[in-house]
Each structure stands twice: as structure tokens, then as C-alpha cells.
Amino acid sequence: EDDPVAAPEFGKIFLMLRDFRTSTGENPVGTNAEIMKTLMGDNPRGAKFGPPEGMTLNGEGELIDSWGSPFFFHQVSRDVMEIISAGPDKRRGTDDDLISR
């Protein structure tokens, strides 16, 4: 779906993941908080890749969407990551979810 709010967020996240992959050869793994910790410098090179400009983390260290819900990261393979935003209703698994890979 082309959601004007989510589209730039997904683009920023994919750039962050691409830069990490270019540096390390694979996607970060784990939960949202574990992935963000890795992207913010807890990696073998100590390189900082995120959070993306204009995006923030919640108190648990998770990257959140424009509605304040944590993104869900699903590692499909070492170079494909599916990202899900729960959308305006803040519930994953409903019709307004935004999914990109």
C-alpha cells in the first residue's frame, strides 16, 4: 500500500539496513530492540547506522512508527528484511498494517 506517512519511514529504515549490510555482509538479527542496539553501535566495528533521521526509539529501545508503535522486523534471509508497522490502529495483524520488504 502507498501510505504517505509510512513510505518515507520504510525508505529510511531500508537505507539504514542497506548500509549495515554493506558494512557487515548481512542483516542484523533479533527483536526490534536488539536490532536497534546493533545498528546504534553494538556491532564488531562499533559503527553507528541508526536510528534514521527524524525517527525515535521508545523506552525499550525499539524503533517506533509515526503512530508510536514499535516496528516488527522479520529476517526473511541474510539480505531480505520484512518490516511491519501496525498502522493507525496500533494493532499488528489488522487491515491497516503497512508491510514492506
Side-chain angles (χ1 to χ4, degrees):
E1 290 185 31
D2 284 338
D3 183 285
V5 176
E9 286 183 341
F10 282 135
K12 289 177 182 180
I13 295 169
F14 282 116
L15 286 174
M16 173 180 68
L17 293 170
R18 182 204 65 195
D19 291 347
F20 182 84
R21 258 193 326 274
T22 299
S23 175
T24 65
E26 59 190 14
N27 274 318
V29 295
T31 64
N32 181 321
E34 291 166 341
I35 287 171
M36 289 313 299
K37 187 175 176 188
T38 299
L39 291 169
M40 290 171 27
D42 186 13
N43 56 67
R45 296 175 188 221
K48 187 170 167 136
F49 300 92
E53 186 179 336
M55 296 181 71
T56 57
L57 306 180
N58 64 15
E60 284 78 51
E62 298 168 310
L63 187 66
I64 56 172
D65 63 21
S66 51
W67 296 283
S69 298
F71 284 98
F72 178 76
F73 293 97
H74 174 235
Q75 296 84 15
V76 177
S77 69
R78 58 182 291 148
D79 45 8
V80 177
M81 180 84 77
E82 182 177 73
I83 302 167
I84 302 170
S85 162
D89 73 1
K90 299 184 178 190
R91 291 189 354 226
R92 212 168 67 230
T94 58
D95 288 344
D96 73 345
D97 289 5
L98 304 162
I99 302 171
S100 189
R101 68 163 62 176

